Amino acid sequence: MNELQAFILGLIQGLTEFLPISSTGHLYLGRHLFGLDDAGLFLDTMLHIGTLIALITVYKNELLSIVIRPFSRLSILLIVGTIPAVIAGILVDDWLEELSVTGKTIGWEFLVTGFFLWLADGMKKGYKTLDSIRYSDALFIGCFQAAAILPALSRSGLTIASGLFRKLDRETAAYFSFLLSIPAILGGIIFQLKNVVSSSNEGISFMSMLIATLSSAIFGYIAVMWMLNFLKKRSLKIFAVYVWVLGVFILLMQFTGTF
């Protein structure tokens, strides 16, 4: 992997982690395009560290508040919302690894993501703000986050959609979605560490890894800030149409044996 490929993969990870179009699905496509299907778990881990850095930068005040008051209501909301993803990660680890490697289901998963985005965008305007989110709301959103453990089900897309289903206002749905992703991404990185040492990163230089991580962090930050503003007044349907087109394209390529 050269430096340009590292930059592009970081860009893909950073943008698609927080745009509701699936980072894992797009990263699989990016690696496949560059012939880097065996790039290794270490690369994926470094890219996720980049997006975690972006989130820490955006939510530094909230995280500091959680550190100072670890048993605050917000802390408990995040714990409740994270539990389903933890359970899902433990139960389907081996099966999920096979799906991530083969990519055989990503076309269908893009279509499902689009369905939920379109459905959620048609919901009546929500009224709940961060202060009025209930623990049951956090658990409901967390279950959708757990479902997004599948490669091309967008985590941000499903958690934003599920927030809208629970009558959160659009800005709060995005805000809580990204905040909830911090323990999920951090947990994923920790969970992957046990396999990182044994994984291969042959052909990937330190400079390429550094560029990929920094690119992921920079574009992740841009994507978070942009989405928080975008959802105040704009529709999710444009993203639904995009993942539908992409999903159909992938299914056709798989059907014809060209993918």
Side-chain angles (χ1 to χ4, degrees), residues 1 9 13 24 27-28 31-32 35-48 97 100-101 192-193 195-204 209 212:
M1 182 177 72
L9 290 176
Q13 170 66 24
T24 305
L27 199 57
Y28 175 86
R31 288 202 307 262
H32 187 73
L36 298 170
D37 297 293
D38 298 322
L41 185 61
F42 187 62
L43 173 61
D44 285 351
T45 302
M46 295 306 294
L47 289 171
H48 280 91
E97 184 176 350
S100 298
V101 171
Q192 287 175 341
L193 287 178
N195 298 319
V196 166
V197 176
S198 60
S199 68
S200 173
N201 63 328
E202 184 178 352
I204 306 178
M209 283 293 186

PDB file of all heavy atoms in Angstrom, residues 1 9 13 24 27-28 31-32 35-48 97 100-101 192-193 195-204 209 212:
ATOM      1  N   MET A   1       0.846  -1.183   0.000  1.00  0.00           N
ATOM      2  CA  MET A   1       0.000   0.000   0.000  1.00  0.00           C
ATOM      3  C   MET A   1       0.883   1.235   0.000  1.00  0.00           C
ATOM      4  O   MET A   1       1.722   1.413   0.880  1.00  0.00           O
ATOM      5  CB  MET A   1      -0.903   0.020   1.241  1.00  0.00           C
ATOM      6  CG  MET A   1      -1.856   1.214   1.291  1.00  0.00           C
ATOM      7  SD  MET A   1      -2.983   1.170   2.710  1.00  0.00           S
ATOM      8  CE  MET A   1      -1.861   1.553   4.049  1.00  0.00           C
ATOM      9  N   LEU A   9      -7.858   5.585   1.543  1.00  0.00           N
ATOM     10  CA  LEU A   9      -8.558   4.686   2.461  1.00  0.00           C
ATOM     11  C   LEU A   9      -8.917   5.410   3.761  1.00  0.00           C
ATOM     12  O   LEU A   9      -9.992   5.186   4.330  1.00  0.00           O
ATOM     13  CB  LEU A   9      -7.701   3.452   2.752  1.00  0.00           C
ATOM     14  CG  LEU A   9      -7.539   2.471   1.592  1.00  0.00           C
ATOM     15  CD1 LEU A   9      -6.597   1.335   1.979  1.00  0.00           C
ATOM     16  CD2 LEU A   9      -8.884   1.901   1.151  1.00  0.00           C
ATOM     17  N   GLN A  13     -12.710   5.923   5.132  1.00  0.00           N
ATOM     18  CA  GLN A  13     -13.100   5.570   6.497  1.00  0.00           C
ATOM     19  C   GLN A  13     -13.653   6.775   7.252  1.00  0.00           C
ATOM     20  O   GLN A  13     -14.698   6.698   7.895  1.00  0.00           O
ATOM     21  CB  GLN A  13     -11.896   4.992   7.247  1.00  0.00           C
ATOM     22  CG  GLN A  13     -12.096   4.804   8.742  1.00  0.00           C
ATOM     23  CD  GLN A  13     -13.138   3.757   9.075  1.00  0.00           C
ATOM     24  OE1 GLN A  13     -13.396   2.869   8.276  1.00  0.00           O
ATOM     25  NE2 GLN A  13     -13.735   3.845  10.251  1.00  0.00           N
ATOM     26  N   THR A  24     -17.635   0.341   6.797  1.00  0.00           N
ATOM     27  CA  THR A  24     -17.076  -0.994   6.567  1.00  0.00           C
ATOM     28  C   THR A  24     -17.313  -1.450   5.136  1.00  0.00           C
ATOM     29  O   THR A  24     -16.426  -2.005   4.486  1.00  0.00           O
ATOM     30  CB  THR A  24     -17.683  -2.014   7.553  1.00  0.00           C
ATOM     31  OG1 THR A  24     -17.498  -1.551   8.891  1.00  0.00           O
ATOM     32  CG2 THR A  24     -17.022  -3.370   7.396  1.00  0.00           C
ATOM     33  N   LEU A  27     -15.086   0.658   2.873  1.00  0.00           N
ATOM     34  CA  LEU A  27     -13.679   0.303   3.054  1.00  0.00           C
ATOM     35  C   LEU A  27     -13.375  -1.030   2.375  1.00  0.00           C
ATOM     36  O   LEU A  27     -12.302  -1.198   1.783  1.00  0.00           O
ATOM     37  CB  LEU A  27     -13.351   0.221   4.552  1.00  0.00           C
ATOM     38  CG  LEU A  27     -11.875   0.295   4.928  1.00  0.00           C
ATOM     39  CD1 LEU A  27     -11.234   1.565   4.411  1.00  0.00           C
ATOM     40  CD2 LEU A  27     -11.723   0.189   6.443  1.00  0.00           C
ATOM     41  N   TYR A  28     -14.320  -1.950   2.438  1.00  0.00           N
ATOM     42  CA  TYR A  28     -14.145  -3.219   1.720  1.00  0.00           C
ATOM     43  C   TYR A  28     -14.014  -2.967   0.223  1.00  0.00           C
ATOM     44  O   TYR A  28     -13.136  -3.526  -0.444  1.00  0.00           O
ATOM     45  CB  TYR A  28     -15.331  -4.150   1.993  1.00  0.00           C
ATOM     46  CG  TYR A  28     -15.276  -5.429   1.184  1.00  0.00           C
ATOM     47  CD1 TYR A  28     -14.557  -6.524   1.639  1.00  0.00           C
ATOM     48  CD2 TYR A  28     -15.929  -5.525  -0.054  1.00  0.00           C
ATOM     49  CE1 TYR A  28     -14.484  -7.691   0.890  1.00  0.00           C
ATOM     50  CE2 TYR A  28     -15.853  -6.681  -0.804  1.00  0.00           C
ATOM     51  CZ  TYR A  28     -15.133  -7.767  -0.333  1.00  0.00           C
ATOM     52  OH  TYR A  28     -15.058  -8.909  -1.087  1.00  0.00           O
ATOM     53  N   ARG A  31     -10.549  -1.301  -0.520  1.00  0.00           N
ATOM     54  CA  ARG A  31      -9.444  -2.271  -0.487  1.00  0.00           C
ATOM     55  C   ARG A  31      -9.488  -3.196  -1.690  1.00  0.00           C
ATOM     56  O   ARG A  31      -8.461  -3.546  -2.266  1.00  0.00           O
ATOM     57  CB  ARG A  31      -9.506  -3.078   0.814  1.00  0.00           C
ATOM     58  CG  ARG A  31      -9.110  -2.308   2.048  1.00  0.00           C
ATOM     59  CD  ARG A  31      -8.681  -3.257   3.173  1.00  0.00           C
ATOM     60  NE  ARG A  31      -9.709  -4.261   3.434  1.00  0.00           N
ATOM     61  CZ  ARG A  31     -10.614  -4.175   4.402  1.00  0.00           C
ATOM     62  NH1 ARG A  31     -10.618  -3.117   5.195  1.00  0.00           N
ATOM     63  NH2 ARG A  31     -11.498  -5.129   4.577  1.00  0.00           N
ATOM     64  N   HIS A  32     -10.697  -3.605  -2.071  1.00  0.00           N
ATOM     65  CA  HIS A  32     -10.855  -4.490  -3.231  1.00  0.00           C
ATOM     66  C   HIS A  32     -10.385  -3.785  -4.501  1.00  0.00           C
ATOM     67  O   HIS A  32      -9.725  -4.392  -5.350  1.00  0.00           O
ATOM     68  CB  HIS A  32     -12.322  -4.907  -3.359  1.00  0.00           C
ATOM     69  CG  HIS A  32     -12.586  -5.932  -4.412  1.00  0.00           C
ATOM     70  ND1 HIS A  32     -12.218  -7.262  -4.268  1.00  0.00           N
ATOM     71  CD2 HIS A  32     -13.157  -5.832  -5.640  1.00  0.00           C
ATOM     72  CE1 HIS A  32     -12.562  -7.932  -5.363  1.00  0.00           C
ATOM     73  NE2 HIS A  32     -13.139  -7.089  -6.202  1.00  0.00           N
ATOM     74  N   GLY A  35      -6.704  -3.736  -4.652  1.00  0.00           N
ATOM     75  CA  GLY A  35      -6.062  -5.043  -4.548  1.00  0.00           C
ATOM     76  C   GLY A  35      -5.451  -5.281  -3.183  1.00  0.00           C
ATOM     77  O   GLY A  35      -4.435  -5.967  -3.049  1.00  0.00           O
ATOM     78  N   LEU A  36      -6.076  -4.719  -2.149  1.00  0.00           N
ATOM     79  CA  LEU A  36      -5.542  -4.811  -0.790  1.00  0.00           C
ATOM     80  C   LEU A  36      -6.476  -5.614   0.112  1.00  0.00           C
ATOM     81  O   LEU A  36      -6.644  -5.310   1.289  1.00  0.00           O
ATOM     82  CB  LEU A  36      -5.348  -3.407  -0.204  1.00  0.00           C
ATOM     83  CG  LEU A  36      -4.351  -2.500  -0.931  1.00  0.00           C
ATOM     84  CD1 LEU A  36      -4.445  -1.069  -0.397  1.00  0.00           C
ATOM     85  CD2 LEU A  36      -2.935  -3.036  -0.763  1.00  0.00           C
ATOM     86  N   ASP A  37      -7.081  -6.658  -0.446  1.00  0.00           N
ATOM     87  CA  ASP A  37      -8.023  -7.460   0.328  1.00  0.00           C
ATOM     88  C   ASP A  37      -7.371  -8.073   1.558  1.00  0.00           C
ATOM     89  O   ASP A  37      -8.033  -8.345   2.562  1.00  0.00           O
ATOM     90  CB  ASP A  37      -8.627  -8.564  -0.549  1.00  0.00           C
ATOM     91  CG  ASP A  37      -9.431  -7.992  -1.702  1.00  0.00           C
ATOM     92  OD1 ASP A  37     -10.475  -7.387  -1.441  1.00  0.00           O
ATOM     93  OD2 ASP A  37      -8.984  -8.123  -2.857  1.00  0.00           O
ATOM     94  N   ASP A  38      -6.063  -8.313   1.491  1.00  0.00           N
ATOM     95  CA  ASP A  38      -5.350  -8.919   2.609  1.00  0.00           C
ATOM     96  C   ASP A  38      -4.514  -7.884   3.361  1.00  0.00           C
ATOM     97  O   ASP A  38      -3.466  -8.189   3.925  1.00  0.00           O
ATOM     98  CB  ASP A  38      -4.427 -10.050   2.103  1.00  0.00           C
ATOM     99  CG  ASP A  38      -5.214 -11.171   1.441  1.00  0.00           C
ATOM    100  OD1 ASP A  38      -6.311 -11.485   1.931  1.00  0.00           O
ATOM    101  OD2 ASP A  38      -4.726 -11.721   0.436  1.00  0.00           O
ATOM    102  N   ALA A  39      -4.975  -6.625   3.354  1.00  0.00           N
ATOM    103  CA  ALA A  39      -4.201  -5.557   3.985  1.00  0.00           C
ATOM    104  C   ALA A  39      -4.021  -5.785   5.484  1.00  0.00           C
ATOM    105  O   ALA A  39      -3.074  -5.300   6.074  1.00  0.00           O
ATOM    106  CB  ALA A  39      -4.874  -4.205   3.739  1.00  0.00           C
ATOM    107  N   GLY A  40      -4.932  -6.517   6.081  1.00  0.00           N
ATOM    108  CA  GLY A  40      -4.730  -6.897   7.475  1.00  0.00           C
ATOM    109  C   GLY A  40      -5.562  -6.112   8.472  1.00  0.00           C
ATOM    110  O   GLY A  40      -6.010  -5.000   8.223  1.00  0.00           O
ATOM    111  N   LEU A  41      -5.726  -6.748   9.633  1.00  0.00           N
ATOM    112  CA  LEU A  41      -6.518  -6.174  10.706  1.00  0.00           C
ATOM    113  C   LEU A  41      -5.856  -4.927  11.270  1.00  0.00           C
ATOM    114  O   LEU A  41      -6.532  -4.013  11.764  1.00  0.00           O
ATOM    115  CB  LEU A  41      -6.702  -7.226  11.809  1.00  0.00           C
ATOM    116  CG  LEU A  41      -7.608  -6.890  12.984  1.00  0.00           C
ATOM    117  CD1 LEU A  41      -9.031  -6.626  12.499  1.00  0.00           C
ATOM    118  CD2 LEU A  41      -7.596  -8.016  13.998  1.00  0.00           C
ATOM    119  N   PHE A  42      -4.535  -4.864  11.213  1.00  0.00           N
ATOM    120  CA  PHE A  42      -3.816  -3.719  11.759  1.00  0.00           C
ATOM    121  C   PHE A  42      -4.234  -2.426  11.065  1.00  0.00           C
ATOM    122  O   PHE A  42      -4.421  -1.393  11.707  1.00  0.00           O
ATOM    123  CB  PHE A  42      -2.306  -3.935  11.629  1.00  0.00           C
ATOM    124  CG  PHE A  42      -1.479  -2.892  12.323  1.00  0.00           C
ATOM    125  CD1 PHE A  42      -1.567  -2.718  13.688  1.00  0.00           C
ATOM    126  CD2 PHE A  42      -0.624  -2.074  11.604  1.00  0.00           C
ATOM    127  CE1 PHE A  42      -0.812  -1.755  14.346  1.00  0.00           C
ATOM    128  CE2 PHE A  42       0.140  -1.111  12.239  1.00  0.00           C
ATOM    129  CZ  PHE A  42       0.044  -0.949  13.618  1.00  0.00           C
ATOM    130  N   LEU A  43      -4.398  -2.478   9.748  1.00  0.00           N
ATOM    131  CA  LEU A  43      -4.835  -1.301   9.003  1.00  0.00           C
ATOM    132  C   LEU A  43      -6.226  -0.873   9.453  1.00  0.00           C
ATOM    133  O   LEU A  43      -6.472   0.318   9.705  1.00  0.00           O
ATOM    134  CB  LEU A  43      -4.832  -1.588   7.503  1.00  0.00           C
ATOM    135  CG  LEU A  43      -5.423  -0.487   6.607  1.00  0.00           C
ATOM    136  CD1 LEU A  43      -4.635   0.806   6.752  1.00  0.00           C
ATOM    137  CD2 LEU A  43      -5.470  -0.942   5.155  1.00  0.00           C
ATOM    138  N   ASP A  44      -7.152  -1.814   9.563  1.00  0.00           N
ATOM    139  CA  ASP A  44      -8.515  -1.487  10.005  1.00  0.00           C
ATOM    140  C   ASP A  44      -8.502  -0.846  11.392  1.00  0.00           C
ATOM    141  O   ASP A  44      -9.230   0.119  11.656  1.00  0.00           O
ATOM    142  CB  ASP A  44      -9.382  -2.756  10.036  1.00  0.00           C
ATOM    143  CG  ASP A  44      -9.779  -3.215   8.647  1.00  0.00           C
ATOM    144  OD1 ASP A  44      -9.527  -2.473   7.683  1.00  0.00           O
ATOM    145  OD2 ASP A  44     -10.331  -4.316   8.528  1.00  0.00           O
ATOM    146  N   THR A  45      -7.668  -1.381  12.267  1.00  0.00           N
ATOM    147  CA  THR A  45      -7.585  -0.847  13.623  1.00  0.00           C
ATOM    148  C   THR A  45      -7.080   0.588  13.619  1.00  0.00           C
ATOM    149  O   THR A  45      -7.625   1.463  14.313  1.00  0.00           O
ATOM    150  CB  THR A  45      -6.666  -1.728  14.490  1.00  0.00           C
ATOM    151  OG1 THR A  45      -7.161  -3.074  14.501  1.00  0.00           O
ATOM    152  CG2 THR A  45      -6.610  -1.214  15.919  1.00  0.00           C
ATOM    153  N   MET A  46      -6.033   0.863  12.833  1.00  0.00           N
ATOM    154  CA  MET A  46      -5.482   2.210  12.776  1.00  0.00           C
ATOM    155  C   MET A  46      -6.485   3.199  12.186  1.00  0.00           C
ATOM    156  O   MET A  46      -6.582   4.352  12.624  1.00  0.00           O
ATOM    157  CB  MET A  46      -4.184   2.218  11.964  1.00  0.00           C
ATOM    158  CG  MET A  46      -3.043   1.422  12.597  1.00  0.00           C
ATOM    159  SD  MET A  46      -2.687   1.924  14.307  1.00  0.00           S
ATOM    160  CE  MET A  46      -2.088   3.603  14.050  1.00  0.00           C
ATOM    161  N   LEU A  47      -7.250   2.766  11.193  1.00  0.00           N
ATOM    162  CA  LEU A  47      -8.268   3.631  10.601  1.00  0.00           C
ATOM    163  C   LEU A  47      -9.350   3.970  11.624  1.00  0.00           C
ATOM    164  O   LEU A  47      -9.840   5.108  11.681  1.00  0.00           O
ATOM    165  CB  LEU A  47      -8.886   2.956   9.374  1.00  0.00           C
ATOM    166  CG  LEU A  47      -7.975   2.848   8.145  1.00  0.00           C
ATOM    167  CD1 LEU A  47      -8.629   1.974   7.074  1.00  0.00           C
ATOM    168  CD2 LEU A  47      -7.658   4.223   7.570  1.00  0.00           C
ATOM    169  N   HIS A  48      -9.723   2.991  12.442  1.00  0.00           N
ATOM    170  CA  HIS A  48     -10.733   3.255  13.473  1.00  0.00           C
ATOM    171  C   HIS A  48     -10.170   4.128  14.591  1.00  0.00           C
ATOM    172  O   HIS A  48     -10.911   4.915  15.195  1.00  0.00           O
ATOM    173  CB  HIS A  48     -11.267   1.936  14.037  1.00  0.00           C
ATOM    174  CG  HIS A  48     -12.299   1.296  13.174  1.00  0.00           C
ATOM    175  ND1 HIS A  48     -11.988   0.373  12.195  1.00  0.00           N
ATOM    176  CD2 HIS A  48     -13.650   1.465  13.102  1.00  0.00           C
ATOM    177  CE1 HIS A  48     -13.097  -0.001  11.581  1.00  0.00           C
ATOM    178  NE2 HIS A  48     -14.114   0.650  12.107  1.00  0.00           N
ATOM    179  N   GLU A  97     -16.509 -12.152  11.067  1.00  0.00           N
ATOM    180  CA  GLU A  97     -15.202 -12.080  10.418  1.00  0.00           C
ATOM    181  C   GLU A  97     -15.266 -12.682   9.015  1.00  0.00           C
ATOM    182  O   GLU A  97     -14.687 -12.152   8.071  1.00  0.00           O
ATOM    183  CB  GLU A  97     -14.159 -12.814  11.258  1.00  0.00           C
ATOM    184  CG  GLU A  97     -12.752 -12.715  10.714  1.00  0.00           C
ATOM    185  CD  GLU A  97     -11.726 -13.380  11.618  1.00  0.00           C
ATOM    186  OE1 GLU A  97     -12.080 -13.760  12.749  1.00  0.00           O
ATOM    187  OE2 GLU A  97     -10.569 -13.519  11.175  1.00  0.00           O
ATOM    188  N   SER A 100     -17.051 -10.224   6.701  1.00  0.00           N
ATOM    189  CA  SER A 100     -16.217  -9.063   6.415  1.00  0.00           C
ATOM    190  C   SER A 100     -15.156  -9.391   5.375  1.00  0.00           C
ATOM    191  O   SER A 100     -14.791  -8.547   4.555  1.00  0.00           O
ATOM    192  CB  SER A 100     -15.551  -8.566   7.711  1.00  0.00           C
ATOM    193  OG  SER A 100     -16.522  -8.153   8.637  1.00  0.00           O
ATOM    194  N   VAL A 101     -14.655 -10.612   5.406  1.00  0.00           N
ATOM    195  CA  VAL A 101     -13.614 -11.016   4.459  1.00  0.00           C
ATOM    196  C   VAL A 101     -14.193 -11.256   3.073  1.00  0.00           C
ATOM    197  O   VAL A 101     -13.640 -10.817   2.061  1.00  0.00           O
ATOM    198  CB  VAL A 101     -12.898 -12.287   4.965  1.00  0.00           C
ATOM    199  CG1 VAL A 101     -11.965 -12.847   3.878  1.00  0.00           C
ATOM    200  CG2 VAL A 101     -12.099 -11.976   6.227  1.00  0.00           C
ATOM    201  N   GLN A 192     -10.231  -5.887  18.921  1.00  0.00           N
ATOM    202  CA  GLN A 192      -9.378  -6.298  17.818  1.00  0.00           C
ATOM    203  C   GLN A 192      -7.924  -6.469  18.222  1.00  0.00           C
ATOM    204  O   GLN A 192      -7.170  -7.177  17.550  1.00  0.00           O
ATOM    205  CB  GLN A 192      -9.449  -5.262  16.689  1.00  0.00           C
ATOM    206  CG  GLN A 192     -10.755  -5.266  15.913  1.00  0.00           C
ATOM    207  CD  GLN A 192     -10.811  -4.138  14.893  1.00  0.00           C
ATOM    208  OE1 GLN A 192     -10.076  -3.169  14.966  1.00  0.00           O
ATOM    209  NE2 GLN A 192     -11.719  -4.265  13.939  1.00  0.00           N
ATOM    210  N   LEU A 193      -7.517  -5.842  19.328  1.00  0.00           N
ATOM    211  CA  LEU A 193      -6.110  -5.851  19.705  1.00  0.00           C
ATOM    212  C   LEU A 193      -5.564  -7.257  19.903  1.00  0.00           C
ATOM    213  O   LEU A 193      -4.389  -7.514  19.640  1.00  0.00           O
ATOM    214  CB  LEU A 193      -5.899  -5.021  20.982  1.00  0.00           C
ATOM    215  CG  LEU A 193      -6.008  -3.507  20.813  1.00  0.00           C
ATOM    216  CD1 LEU A 193      -5.828  -2.811  22.163  1.00  0.00           C
ATOM    217  CD2 LEU A 193      -4.965  -2.993  19.822  1.00  0.00           C
ATOM    218  N   ASN A 195      -6.077  -9.747  18.169  1.00  0.00           N
ATOM    219  CA  ASN A 195      -5.729 -10.354  16.882  1.00  0.00           C
ATOM    220  C   ASN A 195      -4.724  -9.531  16.086  1.00  0.00           C
ATOM    221  O   ASN A 195      -4.173 -10.017  15.099  1.00  0.00           O
ATOM    222  CB  ASN A 195      -7.000 -10.538  16.032  1.00  0.00           C
ATOM    223  CG  ASN A 195      -8.000 -11.469  16.684  1.00  0.00           C
ATOM    224  OD1 ASN A 195      -7.631 -12.490  17.246  1.00  0.00           O
ATOM    225  ND2 ASN A 195      -9.271 -11.107  16.626  1.00  0.00           N
ATOM    226  N   VAL A 196      -4.489  -8.280  16.507  1.00  0.00           N
ATOM    227  CA  VAL A 196      -3.624  -7.391  15.738  1.00  0.00           C
ATOM    228  C   VAL A 196      -2.192  -7.902  15.681  1.00  0.00           C
ATOM    229  O   VAL A 196      -1.531  -7.861  14.646  1.00  0.00           O
ATOM    230  CB  VAL A 196      -3.659  -5.956  16.317  1.00  0.00           C
ATOM    231  CG1 VAL A 196      -2.522  -5.111  15.755  1.00  0.00           C
ATOM    232  CG2 VAL A 196      -4.987  -5.303  15.992  1.00  0.00           C
ATOM    233  N   VAL A 197      -1.713  -8.407  16.816  1.00  0.00           N
ATOM    234  CA  VAL A 197      -0.325  -8.858  16.892  1.00  0.00           C
ATOM    235  C   VAL A 197      -0.049  -9.984  15.897  1.00  0.00           C
ATOM    236  O   VAL A 197       0.988 -10.022  15.242  1.00  0.00           O
ATOM    237  CB  VAL A 197       0.011  -9.329  18.322  1.00  0.00           C
ATOM    238  CG1 VAL A 197       1.428  -9.889  18.381  1.00  0.00           C
ATOM    239  CG2 VAL A 197      -0.135  -8.169  19.295  1.00  0.00           C
ATOM    240  N   SER A 198      -1.040 -10.870  15.741  1.00  0.00           N
ATOM    241  CA  SER A 198      -0.849 -12.012  14.844  1.00  0.00           C
ATOM    242  C   SER A 198      -1.233 -11.712  13.404  1.00  0.00           C
ATOM    243  O   SER A 198      -0.998 -12.518  12.515  1.00  0.00           O
ATOM    244  CB  SER A 198      -1.677 -13.199  15.342  1.00  0.00           C
ATOM    245  OG  SER A 198      -3.051 -12.866  15.374  1.00  0.00           O
ATOM    246  N   SER A 199      -1.832 -10.537  13.159  1.00  0.00           N
ATOM    247  CA  SER A 199      -2.257 -10.206  11.803  1.00  0.00           C
ATOM    248  C   SER A 199      -1.069  -9.715  10.993  1.00  0.00           C
ATOM    249  O   SER A 199      -0.066  -9.258  11.528  1.00  0.00           O
ATOM    250  CB  SER A 199      -3.353  -9.136  11.821  1.00  0.00           C
ATOM    251  OG  SER A 199      -2.830  -7.907  12.261  1.00  0.00           O
ATOM    252  N   SER A 200      -1.210  -9.776   9.675  1.00  0.00           N
ATOM    253  CA  SER A 200      -0.124  -9.386   8.776  1.00  0.00           C
ATOM    254  C   SER A 200      -0.326  -7.965   8.279  1.00  0.00           C
ATOM    255  O   SER A 200      -1.415  -7.596   7.868  1.00  0.00           O
ATOM    256  CB  SER A 200      -0.070 -10.347   7.578  1.00  0.00           C
ATOM    257  OG  SER A 200       0.857  -9.892   6.621  1.00  0.00           O
ATOM    258  N   ASN A 201       0.734  -7.187   8.358  1.00  0.00           N
ATOM    259  CA  ASN A 201       0.714  -5.861   7.750  1.00  0.00           C
ATOM    260  C   ASN A 201       1.881  -5.720   6.777  1.00  0.00           C
ATOM    261  O   ASN A 201       2.435  -4.651   6.593  1.00  0.00           O
ATOM    262  CB  ASN A 201       0.759  -4.759   8.813  1.00  0.00           C
ATOM    263  CG  ASN A 201       2.046  -4.782   9.620  1.00  0.00           C
ATOM    264  OD1 ASN A 201       2.612  -5.840   9.847  1.00  0.00           O
ATOM    265  ND2 ASN A 201       2.485  -3.617  10.063  1.00  0.00           N
ATOM    266  N   GLU A 202       2.217  -6.859   6.176  1.00  0.00           N
ATOM    267  CA  GLU A 202       3.325  -6.909   5.237  1.00  0.00           C
ATOM    268  C   GLU A 202       3.053  -5.966   4.058  1.00  0.00           C
ATOM    269  O   GLU A 202       1.968  -5.939   3.496  1.00  0.00           O
ATOM    270  CB  GLU A 202       3.501  -8.347   4.718  1.00  0.00           C
ATOM    271  CG  GLU A 202       4.702  -8.524   3.804  1.00  0.00           C
ATOM    272  CD  GLU A 202       4.874  -9.965   3.361  1.00  0.00           C
ATOM    273  OE1 GLU A 202       4.158 -10.825   3.877  1.00  0.00           O
ATOM    274  OE2 GLU A 202       5.722 -10.205   2.495  1.00  0.00           O
ATOM    275  N   GLY A 203       4.050  -5.200   3.684  1.00  0.00           N
ATOM    276  CA  GLY A 203       3.919  -4.295   2.557  1.00  0.00           C
ATOM    277  C   GLY A 203       3.316  -2.958   2.920  1.00  0.00           C
ATOM    278  O   GLY A 203       3.126  -2.116   2.044  1.00  0.00           O
ATOM    279  N   ILE A 204       3.006  -2.737   4.188  1.00  0.00           N
ATOM    280  CA  ILE A 204       2.444  -1.467   4.633  1.00  0.00           C
ATOM    281  C   ILE A 204       3.465  -0.768   5.526  1.00  0.00           C
ATOM    282  O   ILE A 204       3.773  -1.247   6.619  1.00  0.00           O
ATOM    283  CB  ILE A 204       1.117  -1.674   5.389  1.00  0.00           C
ATOM    284  CG1 ILE A 204       0.136  -2.473   4.540  1.00  0.00           C
ATOM    285  CG2 ILE A 204       0.509  -0.334   5.766  1.00  0.00           C
ATOM    286  CD1 ILE A 204      -1.183  -2.768   5.213  1.00  0.00           C
ATOM    287  N   MET A 209       0.752   3.892   7.231  1.00  0.00           N
ATOM    288  CA  MET A 209      -0.163   3.741   8.363  1.00  0.00           C
ATOM    289  C   MET A 209      -0.460   5.091   9.010  1.00  0.00           C
ATOM    290  O   MET A 209      -1.601   5.391   9.368  1.00  0.00           O
ATOM    291  CB  MET A 209       0.443   2.789   9.402  1.00  0.00           C
ATOM    292  CG  MET A 209       0.354   1.330   9.036  1.00  0.00           C
ATOM    293  SD  MET A 209      -1.366   0.748   9.031  1.00  0.00           S
ATOM    294  CE  MET A 209      -1.090  -1.009   8.749  1.00  0.00           C
ATOM    295  N   ALA A 212      -2.767   7.089   6.743  1.00  0.00           N
ATOM    296  CA  ALA A 212      -4.125   6.539   6.780  1.00  0.00           C
ATOM    297  C   ALA A 212      -4.854   6.967   8.048  1.00  0.00           C
ATOM    298  O   ALA A 212      -6.023   7.366   8.011  1.00  0.00           O
ATOM    299  CB  ALA A 212      -4.075   5.014   6.685  1.00  0.00           C
TER     300      ALA A 212
END
